[in-house]
Amino acid sequence: MAKSENCIITVLASECSAFEMGKESQDQSRKEDASDWMLLPKGTWLHAGYHLTSATTGPQILSVPFAIAALGWGSGLLFLSLGCPVSFYAYMLQCAVLEHLAKQGKRYSRFADLSHDVLGDKWSFFVVAPLQFTVCFATVVSCIVLGGQSLKAMSLVYSHTKETLSLYQFTMLFGVINLVLSQLPSLHSLRHLNLLSLLANILYCTLAVYGSIIAGSSSEAPLKDYSLLGTPTQKMFGVFNSLSILSNVYGNLILVEIHATISPPTFGNMKKGLSICYLLILITLFPVGISGYWAFGNASNGNILMNMFSTSRVYYVPKWSFIMTYGLIFIQLVVSTLIYSQPTFATLEEKIVDDRKGSYSLRNVIPRLISRSIFTIMATLLAAMLPFFSSFNAILGAIGYTPLVFVIPMIFYIIVLKPSRHTTTFWINVTLIITFSIISILGCLASIHQLIIDMKKYHLFANI
């Protein structure tokens, strides 16, 4: 009798254990479904091109002449040229890692999940994932700051007077626009906006080149000087600050999230998308950098458009081109803000959405409305308080874009695909890891030095 009871108890315990394991498996599956809810694999290679271009190129292109000014013609063009193939190589390595893991049945919709499986809990939780989210959030704040400045610049030129709204009011207006558009449910749903952003980027870069040529040819423009300014120490800081800016120019922190939205064959589609992205980089980045530095030399501003009028508001270019350029920049900044908000949205909504309901169902719309509104309001408030936040551009490049774009993908490749130490690929990756780690550290020091200088000029809610 006792033996029969023991058998029954054992069977019941086994069934309960199986039930709990099934429940845990179901909960885990639900969690994975929820994290993938926003990142649906429906995109084509053209959509990949739109997403990648919007996430990589942006108004930071207008700071390239400033970066070249600290390096000079030779070194400036050399580093600008090297950044293109190295970053493309890094992104292709990351795609190769994702493809290799996908063949093992592992699909990743977030960079944080990939780093967790490849690097382990500690490195992912304490270093890589927080770094990505922090830099993405900082990028969102920077875009809102620049968006407010773009609206104010258009207002000043159009009204022919300095009497206009304060910068923080324009910043709030930009935030309201993003508050509305942030309710689009997924990265894939931004594809048409990303195409619009791509076209805006081409047009305003063309206008920037046009403006630089017109201003550089004007008799009223300052004389050109291409010498390197400052003491040897200042020049050294300038070099690493410029390298950080160039890292930011080529940076894309959401490649894994974009990869998750692309339909099979994913690797081939991503390769085509990256080719489109870098073709557009070549036809925008280099002309803007070369023409801007040619026109203004070592006087090149962190935003080359600021060189196109004098301190007394004498414009070297037609005002219509100035207004149109800022209007196009405004469009791209709206889209950039949305696309770099996606990793945070995905993390927030992993716990609050119901994947069994439609993306526009009331059950999912209300939590999405609340969570995204809180995030956008926080970012907008911070942007209004710190209108000099765009000065963090170089720091973002040093501590965020440089390691996440030029270091981490190589580490992922070595760990996952395990190339032999006797191969050229292994040593190329090791060399890049060491080189860009050093650049990141020195660039961070140089960027902080420049930021301390800049912050002396500003205060909270400054009307700049």
Side-chain angles (χ1 to χ4, degrees):
M1 184 70 176
K3 186 175 181 181
S4 299
E5 290 178 352
N6 288 337
C7 289
I8 293 171
I9 291 171
T10 302
V11 170
L12 289 173
S14 299
E15 289 180 352
C16 289
S17 177
F19 174 78
E20 290 296 328
M21 289 178 64
K23 186 177 179 182
E24 289 178 7
S25 177
Q26 185 180 20
D27 290 343
Q28 179 66 24
S29 177
R30 284 287 307 280
K31 183 178 178 181
E32 290 175 359
D33 289 342
S35 67
D36 292 345
W37 182 74
M38 296 168 54
L39 302 166
L40 305 173
K42 296 180 179 179
T44 65
W45 62 272
L46 275 175
H47 297 149
Y50 303 161
H51 295 321
L52 290 164
T53 304
S54 290
T56 306
T57 62
Q60 65 268 28
I61 286 178
L62 301 177
S63 64
V64 171
F66 173 78
I68 296 176
L71 298 167
W73 276 117
S75 298
L77 293 180
L78 174 63
F79 285 115
L80 187 63
S81 300
L82 285 175
C84 189
V86 173
S87 59
F88 184 87
Y89 173 73
Y91 295 138
M92 288 305 300
L93 286 187
Q94 204 162 342
C95 290
V97 168
L98 290 166
E99 183 74 7
H100 180 80
L101 293 171
K103 291 178 180 178
Q104 299 176 3
K106 300 177 182 178
R107 178 178 174 269
Y108 298 92
S109 59
R110 296 184 303 172
F111 183 81
D113 296 332
L114 175 63
S115 66
H116 176 272
D117 279 6
V118 175
L119 300 177
D121 292 341
K122 291 183 179 179
W123 276 99
S124 176
F125 186 78
F126 292 106
V127 181
V128 179
L131 187 59
Q132 187 212 18
F133 285 118
T134 300
V135 178
C136 282
F137 180 71
T139 302
V140 168
V141 176
S142 293
C143 287
I144 296 174
V145 169
L146 293 172
Q149 291 175 350
S150 298
L151 288 173
K152 183 175 181 180
M154 286 190 287
S155 175
L156 286 171
V157 177
Y158 183 77
S159 63
H160 306 284
T161 176
K162 292 185 178 180
E163 296 296 328
T164 184
L165 296 175
S166 297
L167 177 59
Y168 78 86
Q169 293 171 311
F170 283 112
T171 303
M172 294 294 184
L173 177 58
F174 185 90
V176 169
I177 295 171
N178 273 281
L179 185 63
V180 174
L181 292 176
S182 67
Q183 303 309 316
L184 291 171
S186 67
L187 182 58
H188 182 66
S189 65
L190 298 178
R191 60 194 183 281
H192 301 303
L193 288 176
N194 283 329
L195 174 59
L196 182 62
S197 170
L198 183 154
L199 297 174
N201 178 260
I202 295 173
L203 290 173
Y204 78 67
C205 286
T206 302
L207 287 170
V209 172
Y210 163 78
S212 294
I213 294 173
I214 295 296
S217 305
S218 172
S219 58
E220 298 178 351
L223 294 176
K224 302 178 182 66
D225 183 2
Y226 301 112
S227 61
L228 301 180
L229 302 177
T231 64
T233 302
Q234 290 172 331
K235 290 178 181 177
M236 181 187 70
F237 277 124
V239 167
F240 289 106
N241 189 57
S242 295
L243 292 179
S244 298
I245 292 173
L246 294 180
S247 297
N248 195 346
V249 168
Y250 286 110
N252 180 346
L253 301 184
I254 58 173
L255 183 135
V256 176
E257 286 80 357
I258 292 171
H259 182 276
T261 70
I262 305 304
S263 60
T266 311
F267 184 82
N269 286 335
M270 286 293 290
K271 185 176 181 180
K272 291 177 182 178
L274 279 168
S275 299
I276 292 174
C277 175
Y278 273 80
L279 175 62
L280 293 173
I281 286 175
L282 289 174
I283 65 176
T284 55
L285 179 63
F286 284 84
V288 169
I290 293 170
S291 65
Y293 184 57
W294 168 81
F296 307 109
N298 55 26
S300 297
N301 196 285
N303 177 357
I304 199 62
L305 299 181
M306 295 293 100
N307 286 104
M308 296 184 186
F309 57 85
S310 67
T311 53
S312 58
R313 290 282 167 180
V314 174
Y315 290 87
Y316 306 132
V317 298
K319 289 187 178 181
W320 64 263
S321 69
F322 204 81
I323 295 173
M324 184 178 291
T325 301
Y326 269 112
L328 293 165
I329 290 172
F330 169 80
I331 291 172
Q332 187 172 48
L333 285 168
V334 169
V335 180
S336 296
T337 303
L338 295 173
I339 199 169
Y340 271 99
S341 300
Q342 297 304 308
T344 304
F345 291 163
T347 301
L348 290 174
E349 291 164 27
E350 176 185 330
K351 302 182 183 301
I352 61 176
V353 302
D354 187 344
D355 56 282
R356 295 171 298 183
K357 306 290 184 180
S359 59
Y360 291 102
S361 66
L362 193 62
R363 165 62 182 82
N364 288 328
V365 166
I366 292 176
R368 183 168 70 236
L369 176 64
I370 295 172
S371 62
R372 296 188 180 198
S373 296
I374 292 173
F375 173 83
T376 305
I377 290 169
M378 288 175 56
T380 302
L381 181 61
L382 186 58
M385 289 175 59
L386 304 174
F388 50 88
F389 199 89
S390 54
S391 296
F392 285 76
N393 194 24
I395 288 186
L396 292 179
I399 67 172
Y401 286 95
T402 302
L404 290 173
V405 173
F406 296 100
V407 177
I408 299 296
M410 287 69 173
I411 295 175
F412 283 174
Y413 187 86
I414 290 175
I415 293 175
V416 174
L417 276 82
K418 298 180 176 58
S420 170
R421 295 191 178 189
H422 302 291
T423 61
T424 305
T425 301
F426 176 85
W427 289 108
I428 288 176
N429 290 337
V430 169
T431 302
L432 291 173
I433 289 169
I434 295 171
T435 301
F436 283 98
S437 295
I438 294 171
I439 290 174
S440 178
I441 294 169
L442 296 177
C444 186
L445 295 175
S447 304
I448 292 172
H449 174 264
Q450 184 62 44
L451 182 63
I452 292 171
I453 296 173
D454 290 342
M455 288 183 68
K456 293 178 181 178
K457 308 174 188 176
Y458 306 125
H459 56 83
L460 293 179
F461 294 100
N463 187 28
I464 57 177

